[in-house]
Amino acid sequence: MTGTSLDAVDMAVLETDGVEISAFGPAGERKLREATRDLLLKTTDIARAWPRGEPEPVIFEEARRAVADEHFQAAESFLDEHGLSWSDFDLLGVHGQTVLHERPTAQRVGRTVQLLDADRLARLCGRPVAFDFRTADVAVGGEGAPLAPIYHAARARASGLAAPVAALNVGGVANITLIGANGDLLAFDTGPGNGMIDLMLQARGLGRFDEDGRLALAGRVDEAVLAALLDSPYFDAPAPKSLDRYDFSLTPVDHLSAEDAAATLVAFTAEAVFKAFAQSGEAPSALIVCGGGRHNPAIMQTLAARAPVPVKSAEAYGWRGDSIEAEAFAYLAARTAKGLPISFPGTTGVPAPMTGGRIVGLISA
């Protein structure tokens, strides 16, 4: 799994039938090489300017190959580190790099692009690859995201957690899964995660991200700017719904110092999460925070201070917080191979539970 933060290839091993989780294998990451990251940043800029109905940008094919090679090299070092070989695996689940995600509106269908040369990766690994998990959902009017909720429910069962409970993933965009007492799933993107903070710092030449939340912790929230950010019609739209990390403008914080801008954007992330609870009919017993955002003390402190429910990091429940998304796509790969649904009316807005994903390469009987 590579997220929109363009930070690393996250890897995780699961033994699963696509319903229950039998065992957890090792997990880890390898940082993206600078050349790959630069190529994907350029590709994302081009993708965002790509007119509908026009042929896809030529750079997409170069990026697909680069993503496949990046995953292969990351996995090679991962397997070597853990004494594994490709023959140990039945199937690989690979998300691909998102360079464009446009949610559907009344005037248009959605559009989502995850780049990966799956055929190339399958040849390099000698194993079948499950990929392209989102486009089938979008084609029938779904949001195409989030897709991890069915895994969050399986992970909660594996931990013996009693519903209702909520899992929050804070990546470039933050998304929440609300698991009801009866097992029903409601999931959607709550708002920005780390993405706006990262983009603000990068635009000001202050690094790639706010390490340890130092800038945000040194700043003060501008309540007027926060109110303006929260005035977006997105927050009044019914769930399920999805976002791209570029959907909110940084213009409202342009006049603020880096410290105050970071503090205000952290508050924006947190307040957007709390608005999500209003969309659910039952309050969860706990909020389990996954993803890179839980490493930012400013985000965790703000969530804990403002949340109406207990807030704990994934590790407090025995979850691997940096690996949940990678685990999720291993799980979704198994569901794809079994023909089980991966998206649902309460998670992406599709009319009925539906399968998704494609597989290249042969799966052993």
Side-chain angles (χ1 to χ4, degrees):
M1 171 73 190
T2 52
T4 54
S5 60
L6 294 173
D7 179 44
V9 177
D10 296 322
M11 296 162 282
V13 179
L14 285 188
E15 183 176 338
T16 178
D17 60 0
V19 179
E20 302 301 333
I21 304 164
S22 304
F24 294 90
E29 69 168 26
R30 195 186 83 162
K31 298 297 182 184
L32 287 184
R33 291 173 296 176
E34 286 298 319
T36 303
R37 186 174 186 278
D38 291 345
L39 171 63
L40 294 175
L41 284 171
K42 180 180 179 181
T43 305
T44 300
D45 288 340
I46 291 172
R48 294 177 62 217
W50 176 30
R52 287 177 176 244
E54 294 295 318
E56 74 169 34
V58 174
I59 198 173
F60 279 15
E61 199 56 38
E62 180 185 0
R64 286 190 182 97
R65 291 194 301 271
V67 171
D69 291 346
E70 191 77 27
H71 279 71
F72 176 70
Q73 292 178 23
E76 284 271 276
S77 61
F78 176 81
L79 297 183
D80 184 63
E81 177 185 355
H82 295 286
L84 298 169
S85 64
W86 289 115
S87 61
D88 293 324
F89 296 91
D90 299 307
L91 179 64
L92 311 178
V94 187
H95 175 263
Q97 181 60 50
T98 296
V99 295
L100 180 68
H101 185 80
E102 295 174 346
R103 67 185 305 261
T105 68
Q107 293 75 37
R108 70 183 190 197
V109 297
R111 187 166 62 149
T112 191
V113 178
Q114 287 73 46
L115 296 179
L116 171 72
D117 188 334
D119 287 293
R120 181 181 181 87
L121 184 58
R123 290 194 303 270
L124 289 169
C125 300
R127 308 309 301 155
V129 174
F131 72 111
D132 191 22
F133 295 98
R134 301 188 190 274
T135 55
D137 183 276
V138 170
V140 297
E143 296 277 342
L147 291 183
I150 188 64
Y151 178 69
H152 291 155
R155 188 66 185 87
R157 289 197 305 273
S159 302
L161 292 175
V165 67
L168 174 70
N169 178 66
V170 184
V173 169
N175 57 72
I176 197 167
T177 299
L178 297 157
I179 305 167
N182 62 356
D184 286 349
L185 297 175
L186 178 66
F188 51 97
D189 289 342
T190 59
N194 300 314
M196 290 186 75
I197 304 167
D198 294 349
L199 290 171
M200 182 273 293
L201 293 176
Q202 291 162 19
R204 300 189 188 197
L206 296 175
R208 206 173 277 176
F209 64 100
D210 186 10
E211 188 171 2
D212 297 326
R214 291 170 189 160
L215 285 173
L217 291 171
R220 296 180 62 183
V221 176
D222 187 306
E223 296 294 343
V225 171
L226 176 60
L229 289 167
L230 290 167
D231 194 41
S232 167
Y234 178 79
F235 299 112
D236 294 323
K241 50 190 176 180
S242 62
L243 287 166
D244 183 86
R245 73 186 300 220
Y246 297 96
D247 280 351
F248 293 101
S249 172
L250 284 168
T251 301
V253 301
D254 281 349
H255 67 287
L256 300 179
S257 68
E259 292 82 0
D260 290 353
T264 302
L265 292 174
V266 163
F268 184 30
T269 293
E271 289 296 334
V273 171
F274 306 144
K275 282 182 172 288
F277 291 130
Q279 305 249 358
S280 173
E282 53 186 342
S285 58
L287 180 66
I288 306 168
V289 185
C290 312
R294 80 190 193 291
H295 293 307
N296 185 325
I299 290 177
M300 292 300 290
Q301 289 177 25
T302 305
L303 285 171
R306 301 188 182 207
V309 299
V311 176
K312 294 185 179 180
S313 69
E315 284 70 21
Y317 296 92
W319 296 20
R320 302 185 293 196
D322 287 323
S323 305
I324 294 296
E325 291 285 291
E327 291 175 8
F329 282 96
Y331 184 78
L332 292 178
R335 292 184 70 84
T336 294
K338 297 283 189 178
L340 298 171
I342 66 172
S343 58
F344 305 84
T347 63
T348 66
V350 287
M354 67 173 293
T355 58
R358 293 186 285 150
I359 297 176
V360 293
L362 295 176
I363 299 180
S364 301

